[in-house]
Amino acid sequence: MKWKNKGHEFDETGRALQEKKEVYLYGAVPIAQDLIKLMEWLHLGINWEVYVVDRDPAKQKNGLCGCEVLSPEAFFNREKKDALVVICTSFAVEKEIRELLKGRLAEDIPVYSHMTFLYEQLPIYFLYAHDKVFFPSENMLPSTICNLNCRDCLNFTPYIKKHHVASLEELKRNVDLFFKAVDRIYLFQITGGEPLLYKDLQSLLEYIDQNYRSQIFRLELVTNGTVMPSDSLCAYFKDKNIHIVLDDYRRAVPERAHVHERIREKFSEFQVSYLDNYVGKWFRMYIPQQEHPVLSEEELIRKFDVCGTPWCSLRDGKLSLCNYSMYADTAGICRASEDEFFDLSRYQESDKKALVEFRLRYSQKGYTEFCKQCNTWEKENVCWCDPAIQYEKEKEV
Ligand code: SF4
């Protein structure tokens, strides 16, 4: 999005959200549970009454995290006061529920997907109702070094000529700047490169935990599942409730499959909370020899808006408008322009609204340089392939 009224882009939405009194989470599923806990953590329950809707009688009987679970009939028949609805299901089922809601809800009741609610409405509401900055997510890379060389790595590892390895002091400074500006964050993620190869990983996690844990809802680390974490690190993950995303590349890298299996055993042994992350397909964001049509400024802005990637990265005291653009810049694929970054070292209280707007994808230009040669993020991407195909640098893709 291109800034038209910097610092006031969400004035109207902020006002409308503050008038809401009831939030209905459609689907008594783990996503709804997570949102209830998040809203509690953000103290939003002070202003909002939260209900859940689900057709399962057992769930209606038990409630969800202290919230009443209504049947769909009870929900439709009920008089709803200044309400909003959040659909807490997968994208596939969301369509079905939107159909079900169509024509049965008053026109002034907005319906959001859980992603839109988390990534847009909650930051806006938190800003306008509490005058505080809430980020849905942010990631940080201690280093771009990885032991794998995936052709379609979203960090563009095969194209990196000179790896970026941040010192522990640099990372601490980034974290300090970030939490000076951001009051609360849902997901703070350490990724890479392969973060388990970073020698000061535990010291970094300790620094974050000791100084900023109360501002983080979920502290997470992503690993490619081919590097064995030490016993002390596993004990630390468990002790500090650090969630691990364990990617599963056993099919693509069979020679490292035994490591993945051993990590799973070790995580169970140490009772580490982790997600076994197998995906059947990857999308190809960058294909070196691919030709892209030359787009006008308006077309690039539209491409950026439609793409809708929710991810943002922190580096050198700056936030990126799109993390993939920052990664492409690091890999030397394309030079990012100045306006793609929000410089936290110059942040002042009066920049609060502009900061939230930037995180919600507003900028001076309205797109990134990498948008010119990027196949867009998952939702709009049509170039899919097998995951983690290993690429030798010398070989033609
Ligand atoms: S098109 Fe690519 S570079 Fe542009 S915003 Fe989307 S993911 Fe980022």
Side-chain angles (χ1 to χ4, degrees):
M1 264 75 68
K2 189 176 159 82
W3 260 315
K4 291 197 180 80
N5 193 8
K6 191 173 176 180
H8 299 281
E9 295 290 351
F10 299 124
D11 285 1
E12 205 176 303
T13 316
R15 252 194 310 274
L17 281 169
Q18 284 183 86
E19 282 164 12
K20 298 295 174 203
K21 301 213 167 32
E22 295 176 348
V23 174
Y24 291 89
L25 304 176
Y26 210 103
V29 290
I31 295 167
Q33 203 166 332
D34 214 34
L35 282 179
I36 294 170
K37 288 186 184 158
L38 175 66
M39 286 190 277
E40 247 173 49
W41 182 70
L42 293 171
H43 302 299
L44 301 186
I46 300 167
N47 316 62
W48 285 348
E49 224 20 91
V50 182
Y51 300 91
V52 183
V53 183
D54 199 287
R55 62 181 166 207
D56 183 344
K59 291 178 176 171
Q60 291 160 21
K61 195 168 155 228
N62 299 330
L64 189 74
C65 298
C67 293
E68 190 180 344
V69 178
L70 306 167
S71 67
E73 295 70 33
F75 165 67
F76 288 122
N77 294 333
R78 184 189 170 92
E79 193 193 330
K80 293 173 272 298
K81 281 186 235 87
D82 300 313
L84 65 87
V85 176
V86 182
I87 303 177
C88 298
T89 58
S90 62
F91 286 127
V93 185
E94 184 188 325
K95 220 172 152 196
E96 216 177 280
I97 297 186
R98 280 192 186 273
E99 279 303 308
L100 188 78
L101 298 175
K102 215 186 256 176
R104 300 188 71 179
L105 287 180
E107 278 189 5
D108 63 342
I109 300 183
V111 178
Y112 305 110
S113 70
H114 62 94
M115 281 295 278
T116 310
F117 184 65
L118 172 62
Y119 274 81
E120 289 172 17
Q121 309 306 310
L122 279 184
I124 298 171
Y125 181 68
F126 201 59
L127 177 66
Y128 282 82
H130 295 257
D131 193 30
K132 298 232 184 266
V133 175
F134 166 66
F135 268 30
S137 68
E138 191 65 35
N139 67 39
M140 191 169 84
L141 280 69
S143 142
T144 57
I145 294 176
C146 188
N147 56 320
L148 300 184
N149 197 28
C150 302
R151 184 191 67 180
D152 301 296
C153 172
L154 293 180
N155 249 293
F156 314 115
T157 302
Y159 311 103
I160 299 175
K161 284 166 202 79
K162 190 171 180 294
H163 280 288
H164 179 83
V165 184
S167 68
L168 182 59
E169 286 318 306
E170 228 176 302
L171 295 172
K172 285 181 180 175
R173 181 177 166 268
N174 283 339
V175 169
D176 289 342
L177 285 171
F178 181 80
F179 285 105
K180 201 173 146 220
V182 177
D183 297 290
R184 298 284 179 104
I185 180 164
Y186 170 71
L187 173 67
F188 193 83
Q189 194 182 62
I190 308 294
T191 181
E194 171 46 53
L196 292 178
L197 296 175
Y198 185 67
K199 69 175 175 49
D200 292 319
L201 178 64
Q202 189 160 339
S203 305
L204 171 66
L205 292 171
E206 281 168 1
Y207 186 77
I208 296 170
D209 180 72
Q210 284 159 13
N211 294 285
Y212 301 110
R213 196 53 199 263
S214 62
Q215 288 168 253
I216 305 170
F217 185 79
R218 176 184 290 220
L219 181 55
E220 189 170 89
L221 180 130
V222 184
T223 172
N224 65 24
T226 65
V227 177
M228 184 61 74
S230 66
D231 286 6
S232 103
L233 207 46
C234 287
Y236 190 76
F237 292 156
K238 155 74 180 144
D239 189 34
K240 297 298 175 185
N241 193 22
I242 296 169
H243 186 257
I244 310 297
V245 176
L246 177 64
D247 287 337
D248 182 353
Y249 299 143
R250 281 178 292 172
R251 279 199 195 165
V253 197
E255 64 280 16
R256 302 293 294 166
H258 64 286
V259 181
H260 180 97
E261 279 142 25
R262 179 67 195 109
I263 296 174
R264 276 163 55 165
E265 285 166 16
K266 201 165 177 179
F267 280 174
S268 301
E269 204 179 299
F270 280 84
Q271 297 177 312
V272 173
S273 150
Y274 75 98
L275 170 76
D276 206 347
N277 189 35
Y278 174 77
V279 288
K281 288 281 169 204
W282 271 13
F283 53 92
R284 301 191 72 186
M285 201 166 251
Y286 172 67
I287 302 174
Q289 72 276 38
Q290 187 179 8
E291 291 206 2
H292 291 269
V294 177
L295 301 178
S296 66
E297 293 280 304
E298 285 68 30
E299 286 168 328
L300 282 164
I301 293 169
R302 206 171 318 125
K303 180 173 179 179
F304 178 89
D305 292 351
V306 169
C307 167
T309 173
W311 305 115
C312 180
S313 208
L314 169 65
R315 204 185 105 178
D316 299 335
K318 292 174 182 170
L319 301 174
S320 62
L321 187 58
C322 164
N323 60 345
Y324 303 113
S325 177
M326 182 189 265
Y327 302 158
D329 180 87
T330 310
I333 292 171
C334 150
R335 196 100 199 104
S337 63
E338 272 303 303
D339 96 305
E340 295 178 31
F341 299 97
F342 193 103
D343 189 350
L344 291 173
S345 67
R346 296 191 189 156
Y347 177 77
Q348 298 177 347
E349 276 284 297
S350 53
D351 299 329
K352 212 177 267 185
K353 287 188 173 152
L355 173 63
V356 173
E357 287 167 5
F358 183 85
R359 181 58 189 90
L360 270 60
R361 310 183 79 246
Y362 276 83
S363 68
Q364 222 64 46
K365 211 166 61 181
Y367 63 92
T368 76
E369 283 304 304
F370 185 51
C371 290
K372 292 174 184 168
Q373 42 181 326
C374 171
N375 284 322
T376 72
W377 182 62
E378 188 175 18
K379 199 160 59 86
E380 294 295 317
N381 196 305
V382 291
C383 307
W384 290 76
C385 65
D386 288 335
I389 295 170
Q390 294 303 294
Y391 174 54
E392 289 167 36
K393 279 181 184 160
E394 298 73 28
K395 227 191 235 175
E396 275 297 305
V397 186

